[in-house]
Amino acid sequence: MTTTDPIAPNLAETMARLRGAQKGHARGAPAYSVYVNRRIGRLFAAVAYRLGLTPNRVTLVSAAHTFVGVALIATVPPSWWSGILIAVLLVAGYAWDSADGQVARLRGGGSVAGEWLDHFVDALKIASLHLAVLVGLYRFGDLGEFALLVPIGYSVVATVTFFGMILNDLLKGARGVASTHARAGGTFGRSMILLPTDFGVLCLAFLLWGVSPLFLVVYGALFAVNALFLGAASVKWFREMRRVG
């Protein structure tokens, strides 16, 4: 069913409204999320809005794309075509994840239940993706037991990083301090430096899934950078919490 909202009679005007309703990105937002994923998500959001989809339904569309990709990692032998399919599904799921919030802003604001659903799906995605890599490498790879430690470590790092970011905003909000996402800013250079920490880059890494040794090199490098980022960020976050407290 298409919407009959007279304020947005066509897709182009819906896109224009979305550009005007964007929230400021966090200072630590990496480049892919800001310059690629948000723009793809804007297009998806405009289409979803024209189709009359609610933000929660958009979140479920995002989950469907993501978890089909995750399932393929664990169940389908690596090949060039499975790698491309997995990457496309994960990239699309990530873009739809950006779209749900944009649809909510078009409709006048989101809900607490919608925000909970969005974060719940994100947490499930982050935890399950690396475990699927672990299963896939165990079932189909011949890289030795040491290689299996990488997705285990990556799962820990990714989960703790996500929890830390959510907890930061929760504790700040409870004390009347502006959340990270409320501060527009960030420079192009900073965004590019943080690019290896972007979930979108991890999605693109699965283009190499069909060449397991090369994939593991890229995947391991991303893990190392993300582990270093978490170590540095945790010190910064703790200092911020001391000031807030």
Side-chain angles (χ1 to χ4, degrees), residues 17-232:
R17 286 182 60 190
L18 277 168
R19 282 191 291 270
Q22 292 297 315
K23 67 179 180 180
H25 64 268
R27 288 186 302 164
Y32 181 92
S33 291
V34 175
Y35 301 111
V36 179
N37 194 62
R38 180 176 288 190
R39 295 179 182 181
I40 300 174
R42 185 184 304 157
L43 175 60
F44 285 1
V47 172
Y49 183 68
R50 300 304 308 162
L51 293 175
L53 297 181
T54 64
N56 287 350
R57 288 182 179 178
V58 174
T59 299
L60 295 178
V61 171
S62 169
H65 283 81
T66 297
F67 292 116
V68 170
V70 169
L72 291 177
I73 294 170
T75 60
V76 176
S79 64
W80 67 267
W81 66 266
S82 65
I84 292 174
L85 180 57
I86 290 167
V88 168
L89 286 167
L90 294 179
V91 166
Y94 191 35
W96 280 111
D97 184 35
S98 173
D100 58 7
Q102 299 187 58
V103 171
R105 286 189 288 278
L106 270 180
R107 294 167 62 95
S111 65
V112 173
E115 186 173 3
W116 178 91
L117 180 63
D118 185 31
H119 291 326
F120 183 86
V121 171
D122 284 343
L124 184 59
K125 168 183 69 179
I126 290 170
S128 62
L129 175 62
H130 299 290
L131 297 180
V133 173
L134 173 65
V135 173
L137 291 178
Y138 175 78
R139 293 186 64 194
F140 307 117
D142 187 20
L143 303 172
E145 294 181 357
F146 180 76
L148 301 180
L149 297 177
V150 179
I152 295 174
Y154 210 151
S155 181
V156 173
V157 168
T159 302
V160 173
T161 301
F162 178 74
F163 176 77
M165 291 178 175
I166 296 298
L167 187 61
N168 288 345
D169 287 349
L170 179 65
L171 293 178
K172 288 178 180 179
R175 289 158 178 78
V177 179
S179 70
T180 302
H181 294 294
R183 299 195 302 269
T187 63
F188 178 78
R190 181 186 180 92
S191 293
M192 291 302 297
I193 291 173
L194 293 172
L195 188 59
T197 68
D198 200 313
F199 183 77
V201 174
L202 176 60
C203 296
L204 293 175
F206 284 92
L207 292 171
L208 302 173
W209 182 241
V211 188
S212 296
L214 183 56
F215 169 80
L216 191 62
V217 169
V218 174
Y219 182 78
L222 292 176
F223 162 57
V225 173
N226 278 268
L228 290 173
F229 169 81
L230 177 60

Side-chain angles (χ1 to χ4, degrees), residues 164 167-169 171-172 175 235-245:
L167 187 61
N168 288 345
D169 287 349
L171 293 178
K172 288 178 180 179
R175 289 158 178 78
V235 174
K236 176 178 179 294
W237 293 341
F238 182 73
R239 290 174 178 172
E240 287 181 351
M241 291 303 109
R242 293 185 66 177
R243 289 195 293 270
V244 170

